[in-house]
Amino acid sequence: MLVFENAGLISFQSLVKLNFLVNYDLLSLYILTLFLTLLFVILKSMNIGMVCFPTYGGSGVVATELGIALANKGHKVHFMSYSQPFRLNSINENLFYHEFNVNDYPLFDYQPYESVLASKIVDVAMYEQLDVLHVHYAIPHASVAYTAQQILKSKKIHLPYVTTLHGTDITLVGRDPAFEPVIRFSLNNSNAITSVSESLKKDTLKNFKIDNKISVIPNFINIKDYQAPRDLCLKKKYAQNGEKVMVHISNFRKVKRVEDVIQVFEQVKKQIPTKLILVGDGPEKQSIERLSKQLNLHHDVIPLGKVADPKEILGLADLFILPSETESFGLSALEAMAMKVPVISTNSGGLPEVNLEGKTGFLSNVGDIQDMSKNSLKLLKDPDLLEQFRQNAFSQAMKFDIEKVLPLYEKIYNQLMIREPA
């Protein structure tokens, strides 16, 4: 077969070859365009919305520290909450705080927090041109994010959202049957889901029918912030006679089993002069104070209340104790380890992913006072072993440095920005 073109002859084979070259060039152009688009998104600084509870809890701490780290890399981060997150005290031109008020209307027995937050997200997304929204804690933030996303969609604005699961939103509150349909729907409609531990991911998949992929991105610390020398002068103020110091940090809810902390401390104090520093506040505080008095320990138990940055207190500690009934991760334990403090904890939830048995501390069954007491004494009675565990704890903590974790979140944000809206 011959084809006439410009008074010349082109064979069938030549035409096929020509078509192949044209298609090859088009494919190359498509790949190049895709590559340049990807490169642009990766290099582009992002506008990120961040929603979290502002209270003294792990989810609020992680969200705030994540936002600060993103801002330090040049991204603009917009926090939305009903009060300023307690660790959001950095001065940075890339950090913004948008407060909303839930007014007290006599008509409502329960104030419409979700509706007000959804409206705030829509407002910030429109006027700050958010690229992505990141909500921490599934209840109620995932469903609020979905509502805001649909409102924006009606305005021809696409805002993908990431839901990060932190623990009690799944393991405690989330097990209430009244929440199940909402949690399942909002998670399945999240553009991405992350979990702070493998344990929490398994619990989520076990308790809910989730079709979406769940990526495990652990909690983190900025290891550079934990390298200050231990303040021996400050320690002497709390342990004037050279006593050992145990520290517990929590929000004093029943799930933290703070009474177990007191009972372990009682057993340890019988054999070694020791002080116990309690950091935090919550519903169990009064019962803990009563128990301390009943056991005649109140002179050696030092309650400090809420402390925004506990690093200085952790620097005094010889041991950190966390006997929780359940912990999705155990951020306070990681912070202690970053300060070279071995951890005595339970083996529940994600704690074994952080605290390594016989290396960075010891793990016990929930409620096993005797085993936790024995493990505490084992370390406190052996200075060489304690020092070895200190170094091991710091080495383990370095694996959770923000420099290793932050790119994992950035990768998810970038993927959502590239993905076409449904």
Side-chain angles (χ1 to χ4, degrees):
M1 175 181 178
L2 296 178
V3 180
F4 290 90
E5 182 174 331
N6 296 330
L9 295 177
I10 302 177
S11 68
F12 176 76
Q13 290 83 358
S14 298
L15 184 61
V16 170
K17 184 178 179 181
L18 179 62
N19 288 336
F20 172 78
L21 290 173
V22 170
N23 289 333
Y24 178 80
D25 287 341
L26 288 173
L27 180 62
S28 300
L29 182 61
Y30 174 77
I31 293 173
L32 179 61
T33 304
L34 190 63
F35 172 76
L36 291 174
T37 302
L38 180 62
L39 186 63
F40 172 76
V41 170
I42 291 173
L43 295 178
K44 175 183 179 290
S45 63
M46 292 177 275
N47 266 348
I48 303 163
M50 196 75 69
V51 174
C52 66
F53 289 116
T55 49
Y56 284 70
S59 64
V61 171
V62 169
T64 306
E65 296 294 345
L66 174 61
I68 292 171
L70 288 164
N72 288 336
K73 286 196 70 173
H75 305 297
K76 296 186 183 301
V77 183
H78 298 263
F79 281 90
M80 289 165 270
S81 185
Y82 56 84
S83 67
Q84 185 165 328
F86 75 98
R87 285 202 183 178
L88 189 60
N89 50 19
S90 300
I91 298 175
N92 189 312
E93 68 275 13
N94 293 323
L95 282 175
F96 306 88
Y97 169 58
H98 306 269
E99 185 168 306
F100 60 90
N101 297 313
V102 184
N103 295 322
D104 188 8
Y105 295 106
L107 177 64
F108 299 117
D109 288 331
Y110 305 99
Q111 302 312 313
Y113 169 84
E114 292 91 339
S115 298
V116 178
L117 175 55
S119 294
K120 176 57 71 173
I121 293 172
V122 170
D123 181 68
V124 174
M126 289 176 60
Y127 290 100
E128 301 296 343
Q129 298 182 327
L130 296 184
D131 295 309
V132 66
L133 176 69
H134 192 163
V135 297
H136 295 260
Y137 215 80
I139 302 172
H141 293 154
S143 57
V144 172
Y146 177 78
T147 300
Q149 185 184 64
Q150 295 308 300
I151 295 171
L152 289 165
K153 186 177 180 180
S154 71
K155 300 175 183 295
K156 310 299 182 186
I157 298 172
H158 175 59
L159 180 66
Y161 71 94
V162 182
T163 301
T164 291
L165 309 176
H166 284 273
T168 50
D169 49 346
I170 297 299
T171 59
L172 290 180
V173 182
R175 288 186 179 177
D176 186 333
F179 289 116
E180 194 277 336
V182 176
I183 293 176
R184 177 159 48 89
F185 178 85
S186 55
L187 291 183
N188 278 326
N189 282 279
S190 296
N191 300 101
I193 308 173
T194 71
S195 165
V196 299
S197 67
E198 287 287 350
S199 171
L200 181 58
K201 175 182 176 179
K202 291 176 182 176
D203 283 340
T204 304
L205 294 175
K206 177 182 177 182
N207 294 310
F208 301 95
K209 294 178 180 178
I210 304 301
D211 301 320
N212 265 348
K213 174 186 175 184
I214 301 177
S215 302
V216 175
I217 301 181
N219 287 339
F220 54 84
I221 40 89
N222 188 338
I223 203 70
K224 295 176 184 176
D225 294 339
Y226 291 81
Q227 295 182 7
R230 299 167 69 84
D231 192 338
L232 298 179
C233 293
L234 181 61
K235 183 173 183 177
K236 199 164 186 179
K237 291 181 180 180
Y238 290 103
Q240 296 178 359
N241 299 311
E243 297 95 338
K244 298 295 185 182
V245 175
M246 299 177 69
V247 172
H248 170 77
I249 300 174
S250 76
N251 52 18
F252 284 66
R253 291 180 293 156
K254 275 193 175 295
V255 70
K256 301 300 181 180
R257 299 183 67 95
V258 188
E259 289 188 0
D260 289 3
V261 174
I262 301 297
Q263 292 176 8
V264 170
F265 174 63
E266 180 192 26
Q267 297 300 315
V268 170
K269 191 177 178 299
K270 287 177 181 178
Q271 298 192 38
I272 297 178
T274 313
K275 297 285 186 178
L276 173 63
I277 297 179
L278 298 176
V279 177
D281 197 1
E284 296 299 300
K285 183 178 180 180
Q286 290 187 354
S287 64
I288 296 307
E289 291 176 350
R290 285 195 299 269
L291 180 61
S292 298
K293 292 174 181 176
Q294 291 170 6
L295 298 175
N296 197 30
L297 297 171
H298 56 287
H299 293 300
D300 297 301
V301 176
I302 305 166
L304 297 185
K306 294 178 179 178
V307 176
D309 188 349
K311 288 191 285 291
E312 195 172 30
I313 301 302
L314 288 169
L316 313 178
D318 296 291
L319 281 183
F320 183 80
I321 179 166
L322 192 64
S324 306
E325 181 178 327
T326 180
E327 284 283 351
S328 60
F329 182 85
L331 180 60
S332 59
L334 177 60
E335 291 180 325
M337 290 161 58
M339 289 300 296
K340 300 183 178 180
V341 182
V343 175
I344 301 296
S345 74
T346 52
N347 54 14
S348 64
L351 280 169
E353 298 174 40
V354 181
N355 184 24
L356 305 182
E357 166 69 21
K359 186 173 182 181
T360 64
F362 291 104
L363 301 165
S364 303
N365 292 328
V366 174
D368 194 338
I369 305 298
Q370 294 304 317
D371 193 51
M372 285 186 274
S373 302
K374 179 195 73 175
N375 291 333
S376 299
L377 288 165
K378 182 176 181 179
L379 286 172
L380 294 177
K381 285 183 174 181
D382 189 337
D384 292 337
L385 184 63
L386 182 62
E387 181 58 30
Q388 179 186 333
F389 272 57
R390 281 188 183 280
Q391 299 305 321
N392 292 344
F394 183 71
S395 296
Q396 172 71 351
M398 289 180 68
K399 298 176 183 177
F400 297 89
D401 183 35
I402 183 66
E403 295 295 329
K404 295 182 173 69
V405 176
L406 186 61
L408 303 178
Y409 279 116
E410 289 180 299
K411 180 180 179 181
I412 287 180
Y413 299 156
N414 285 325
Q415 288 172 342
L416 294 185
M417 288 171 63
I418 295 169
R419 193 180 304 166
E420 290 291 328

